Amino acid sequence: MDTEPAASQFPPNFLAFLEENHIDVDVYNVQKDLPRYVRILRFSQKSACEVCELVQQIRTDAKCDVSEVDGVPGFLRIANQDTKLSQLRAYVAGDIIGMDVSSGIAALSLSVEPGDNVLDLCCAPGAKLLLLAELLAINAGVSHGTVTGVDISPHRIATCRSLIKKHAGSNKGFVRLYAQDGTTFNCRAPRAKWWVPAEIREVQLEHPERKGRRRTMLDKPWFAPKLLSTNYACSGSDLYDRVLVDAECTHDGSLAHVQKYERWGWEHLDTQVVNNNRSQSVPILQSQLLENGWRMLKPGGVLVYSTCSLSRFQNEYVLGGFLSRHAEHEALVEVIPLLQNQVAASPIWQPSCAEEWVGLEQHRGVFARMKCAVRLDPRVSNTSGMFIARIRKLSDVQTTFDVEDIAPLKLET
């Protein structure tokens, strides 16, 4: 059966959504040519010989070409996108998981270092969270970093917990999860040396009144290992070294996700993407998530904003709104090291003619500042669609904005 989602198959409201968001419907015609991607778990612990053997085994099971993705360590490209993970011995054995390389690039763009405290503000379903925990474990030495995952849905957080418990191994000792709203999440990074019992005892002796302090439900992790859930660990006052805001979006850039609606029924695509005023409400939610993630980032730290949408209103307009609130001496959109001469990325959308600049003239400087952000266009990158911006926090300026001011760029009439 031909599963190519041609424009004629899409419901009228979804076609209208694509037109409204300036998304070329032809991008969905490349879905049938995209490969499937998987990530090798605990890749840094494997020798080159072990990786080669694993690739050969997957090639045998999948009965198609399998190769490593240049420039993105630990990711494999399976030529046949219809390959079922359950038919691969490596998946059954827990050596690989399914993860599109575009999602991996978003997480790797943080450039996590040993000892970092990382905040994943929209962490479900947990594949990026798992990758971040692995990155922290590399050369950790005596400095233990942490990953704090946040999602508003207890059901989705439970999915994250299952993934962490199944695949993280000893790395799950670095992970804590909160079932909270990412737009208001306010729990600081774990206290320094949270893993050292002697430090805990010393603080308890100095401040015995804290030993029995009852925590509120807001600062109590939904899931965490024992040492990361203590009053001591949760009493930190530091901000995070790295923040990932892989924001809720309409998922229109995930071609495989859109294709599933051919089986589920196109009417569900219409309901979940188009209805409920999502074209207007989602960019506002994304702006609020980005702003709160920035508030939780320490000066000198790095935040990555990403979506799997192709809509300029969920990408460039959200980033532009953020930059219009934060001056050049506060926020710098940086080049993403991983994408330099490795992965085929595309420039972001920018107005290219007088007609497109109408209503945006006063934001020319903002667009100039975001030029280092990138898009992964399925027709160019051979991946799912993704928008990625890496932003460095240059100062300790903390500005409080009214909720109505936290919004994407607006066209001036």
Side-chain angles (χ1 to χ4, degrees), residues 294 322-332 369 394-395:
W294 186 254
F322 170 82
L323 293 176
S324 69
R325 295 188 297 274
H326 298 278
E328 292 184 63
H329 67 273
E330 298 177 50
L332 173 66
R369 290 173 59 195
L394 300 178
S395 75

Side-chain angles (χ1 to χ4, degrees), residues 351 353-354 356-365 367 411-412:
C353 61
E356 291 182 341
W357 277 112
V358 172
L360 293 172
E361 279 287 348
Q362 74 279 20
H363 298 304
R364 284 184 178 272
F367 277 99
L411 292 172
E412 299 295 332

Side-chain angles (χ1 to χ4, degrees), residues 210-236:
R210 295 183 182 177
K211 184 175 181 180
R213 181 179 72 88
R214 293 181 63 85
R215 286 173 292 167
T216 67
M217 291 301 294
L218 289 178
D219 64 8
K220 182 180 180 181
W222 188 89
F223 166 80
K226 185 175 180 180
L227 285 176
L228 259 183
S229 60
T230 63
N231 285 342
Y232 176 84
C234 294
S235 63

Side-chain angles (χ1 to χ4, degrees), residues 367-379:
F367 277 99
R369 290 173 59 195
M370 67 172 84
K371 63 183 179 182
C372 290
V374 299
R375 282 174 173 254
L376 298 181
D377 185 317
R379 295 166 294 190

Side-chain angles (χ1 to χ4, degrees), residues 19-23 312-313 316-317 348-364 367 375 409-413:
E19 183 176 3
E20 177 188 351
N21 286 271
H22 307 278
I23 299 171
R312 66 180 67 166
F313 301 118
E316 289 85 355
Y317 276 54
I348 62 170
W349 175 82
Q350 299 222 15
S352 58
C353 61
E355 182 180 359
E356 291 182 341
W357 277 112
V358 172
L360 293 172
E361 279 287 348
Q362 74 279 20
H363 298 304
R364 284 184 178 272
F367 277 99
R375 282 174 173 254
L409 287 179
K410 296 179 181 178
L411 292 172
E412 299 295 332
T413 57

